[in-house]
Amino acid sequence: MKVMTIIGTRPEGIKMAPVIKALQDTPGMESVFVNTAQHRGMLDQVLGLFGLKPQYDLDLMKAGQGLEELTMRLFEGLQPVLEQEKPDVVLVHGDTTTTFVGAYAAFLKQIPVGHVEAGLRTNTLYSPFPEELNRQLVGRMAAYHFAATEANRENLINENVNPASIAVTGNTVIDALLEISERPVRCRTELEEIFANGRRTILVTTHRRENMEDMQHIYRALERIVDQYDDVQVVFPVHKNPAIRRSVMQVLTGRNRIHLVEPLAYAEFVHVMKHSFLVLTDSGGIQEEAPALGKPVLVARETTERPEGVEAGTLKLVGTSEERIVKACSTLLEDETAYRRMAEVRNPFGEGDAARRIIDVLQGQAAASGGQKVVSR
Ligand code: UD1
Ligand code: UDP
């Protein structure tokens, strides 16, 4: 069976690395790895860490790229690759523009699509934007739905997806996290010095498009928190998106105990998560990783597609209101019981064997179809 994996951004790289490696190591599977390079440096870091080299690199990233233009260039880039390789299955991950176009380009060639991390929903089309629509559209197109959790499976069933096409596998991010956690890490000196000072660290990341207008409320909340607690510091790896950078720099440049750093290599980032007191983020993947490391996460968004984390008690939605963020951080900084309740290690997102389970499903499908192509929904 020839399986083409199409990825383009940092989180897709982290979460699909275990799958690509498992495909490469499985007899009878031919792996074709396509990197659209919707992200460049941030994804290249990940591929280097996992030792992965794409067979096709479309090199699409442009500074400050617009979604329409990116979408068009993705179609143009992917069509000849699909025609050349004629894979039996195309795997995409999650909800980015690469994910949507990768799935649709394969669908137009009637190639079955496998959707990894299927069934996440907020059911609010503009939150996250444009990811909620992307994942819903891929859900209509996919022949195989690899859901991380039971709740994700139920979301798909509520949309009349054929239950036989859904497998609950856990999230591949746990596979990646476990693999990287076992490796020795060398952090840059700047980070070692920051963590040696004994202060409590709030780790922050922001990048959501729908938050763009309100980002500065998050940053003002951070200023207030470090002013209020002199044993607290912020470590903030700033996303490469130029619009985000401008917004962060405007408010936080030169602030005492607020360390703005370049995006961290994944191994470093995991190390920093482990050594942080709490995480404030609008990221998707970090909502899964931090609970697995026993770190409370304040989610700077109005919605989450990961209610399992909220139910388990490790995620709390705080939106982008300055007041709510200051209040939630203060509670965790001052109230040990409240902190412990959120820091309990309860990881609802998998056991670290998701990639293996995905390959098992594909192998089962290959055996059942006797090499025939399957287009099933
Ligand atoms: C994209 C995804 C989002 C995902 C996020 C992960 C879409 C619509 N958005 O958002 O779902 O959560 O990635 O981070 O698919 N840039 C660099 N170097 C890099 C990466 C990005 O300079 O390695 C800059 C470029 O100027 C680029 C801009 O960031 O144009 C935005 O990148 P883009 O992929 O369009 O959007 P993200 O906000 O990163
Ligand atoms: N991450 C990283 N370095 C950083 C910040 C994040 O390696 O400086 C990792 C993080 O551990 C997670 C992923 O990037 O696995 C999340 O990416 P992002 O927040 O950009 O995207 P999302 O998950 O929201 O789609």
Side-chain angles (χ1 to χ4, degrees), residues 11 15 117 173 208 273 283-291 306:
K15 291 174 165 183
E117 201 178 77
V173 78
R208 295 251 85 88
M273 269 192 289
S283 161
I286 298 169
Q287 290 180 59
E288 296 150 347
E289 292 163 340
R306 292 161 172 93

Side-chain angles (χ1 to χ4, degrees), residues 38-42 62 64-65 97 131 207-208 239 241:
Q38 174 180 333
H39 281 180
R40 186 77 275 172
M42 284 164 54
K62 281 192 182 167
Q65 62 207 355
T97 301
E131 291 84 1
H207 75 81
R208 295 251 85 88
H239 192 286
N241 186 333

Side-chain angles (χ1 to χ4, degrees), residues 40-77:
R40 186 77 275 172
M42 284 164 54
L43 177 56
D44 291 344
Q45 266 183 343
V46 172
L47 300 184
L49 178 70
F50 286 97
L52 291 173
K53 258 183 102 68
Q55 276 94 329
Y56 295 87
D57 187 324
L58 305 184
D59 198 19
L60 290 184
M61 197 199 84
K62 281 192 182 167
Q65 62 207 355
L67 294 180
E68 295 87 347
E69 186 204 356
L70 173 64
T71 300
M72 288 189 291
R73 291 191 298 121
L74 279 162
F75 274 117
E76 279 167 10

Side-chain angles (χ1 to χ4, degrees), residues 1-7 12-13 15-34 50-55 87-93 112-116 144 146 172 175 179 353-366:
M1 180 182 241
K2 187 191 263 195
V3 182
M4 178 181 286
T5 309
I6 302 175
I7 65 163
E12 290 162 86
K15 291 174 165 183
M16 288 303 271
V19 177
I20 297 168
K21 287 170 82 166
L23 279 170
Q24 290 171 348
D25 292 346
T26 305
M29 288 285 175
E30 186 186 346
S31 168
V32 181
F33 167 25
V34 179
F50 286 97
L52 291 173
K53 258 183 102 68
Q55 276 94 329
D88 298 306
V89 175
V90 165
L91 290 184
V92 293
H93 178 279
V113 173
H115 189 198
V116 179
Y144 310 109
F146 300 107
T172 55
D175 304 24
E179 183 191 331
D353 58 355
R356 189 66 261 155
R357 288 173 184 234
I358 290 167
I359 307 298
D360 287 350
V361 172
L362 292 175
Q363 277 185 312
Q365 192 60 45

